[in-house]
Amino acid sequence: MTNEQLNTKVFGFEFNLRLILWFLAVKLQLIILLFIWHYTSRHWWKIAIMIPLTLEVFKFIGFLNIKFENFDEVDFITSIPVTIPIVLSLLYLSNKLNKYINHQVVYEKLNTEIDLVFKEMHYNNNDELILKLEFSNLKKNKKNFDKAEYLEKLLKLRSKLYQNEKH
């Protein structure tokens, strides 16, 4: 086919069919790849992929709308209602995840420190063995207590431990 045959007039505008097909292929390819990436990603930040996906969909819709003269411009005003909730949800998830990770790090450090204290204790005394068993039972049954009750039991166990060290 010659270039004259590929040029066509639609609604009074002259278009090159190769250019239109190339643009459609590029946009559809990008939209499909972003869509696949979003649904196959297992990471918590996969919501962020929705932002470029949304922008490309808006560009594609703008291309199909014959009222627009510049078809590859992103209308950020129309994409803001979609992108702002995505960004806010990402910030919220990131904040919660950081708090959870910090909590886990402190929890692990505390457990290792408590375990080291018990390792340093002498196991010759039956009271110390009983305290160690009480502590491990308390850790196992933590879910059965509310936070205040669990803290109270830990404090009682600590005071028993200090009393044993003084003797």
Side-chain angles (χ1 to χ4, degrees):
M1 295 182 98
T2 64
N3 277 343
E4 291 89 27
Q5 291 173 333
L6 291 176
N7 290 341
T8 185
K9 281 192 173 188
V10 177
F11 298 110
F13 296 104
E14 189 169 318
F15 292 104
N16 185 342
L17 196 55
R18 275 193 189 152
L19 180 64
I20 292 172
L21 291 176
W22 174 82
F23 185 80
L24 282 174
V26 168
K27 291 298 171 190
L28 284 175
Q29 181 182 17
L30 189 56
I31 289 170
I32 289 170
L33 288 175
L34 285 170
F35 186 78
I36 291 171
W37 186 20
H38 172 74
Y39 281 104
T40 59
S41 178
R42 293 184 179 158
H43 301 287
W44 66 268
W45 49 262
K46 77 177 196 173
I47 302 168
I49 300 169
M50 290 298 291
I51 293 173
L53 181 63
T54 304
L55 292 174
E56 290 303 319
V57 167
F58 276 113
K59 286 181 187 179
F60 186 73
I61 291 171
F63 174 73
L64 295 178
N65 190 354
I66 57 174
K67 294 179 185 176
F68 290 131
E69 292 177 10
N70 298 329
F71 54 84
D72 197 22
E73 290 184 4
V74 177
D75 193 5
F76 287 108
I77 302 288
T78 57
S79 66
I80 284 178
V82 175
T83 56
I84 285 183
I86 293 172
V87 169
L88 290 178
S89 64
L90 281 174
L91 289 173
Y92 177 75
L93 284 173
S94 175
N95 189 13
K96 287 294 185 184
L97 193 61
N98 284 336
K99 284 182 182 179
Y100 177 76
I101 289 171
N102 288 337
H103 175 266
Q104 290 299 102
V105 167
V106 169
Y107 182 74
E108 287 298 319
K109 284 182 181 179
L110 185 63
N111 275 339
T112 55
E113 186 176 331
I114 289 171
D115 288 339
L116 284 174
V117 167
F118 279 124
K119 284 180 183 177
E120 291 174 359
M121 291 174 52
H122 301 288
Y123 292 109
N124 296 333
N125 191 346
N126 284 337
D127 292 336
E128 292 172 356
L129 280 173
I130 292 170
L131 286 176
K132 182 173 181 178
L133 288 174
E134 281 182 41
F135 177 69
S136 39
N137 286 335
L138 190 60
K139 276 196 327 187
K140 288 178 188 174
N141 297 324
K142 178 183 177 182
K143 296 175 184 173
N144 298 337
F145 305 112
D146 62 350
K147 288 182 180 181
E149 188 178 5
Y150 184 68
L151 180 62
E152 180 183 329
K153 290 189 180 284
L154 281 175
L155 291 174
K156 284 181 184 178
L157 191 62
R158 183 184 69 180
S159 64
K160 286 181 187 179
L161 179 64
Y162 286 146
Q163 287 174 358
N164 283 344
E165 286 182 0
K166 290 179 184 177
H167 294 295

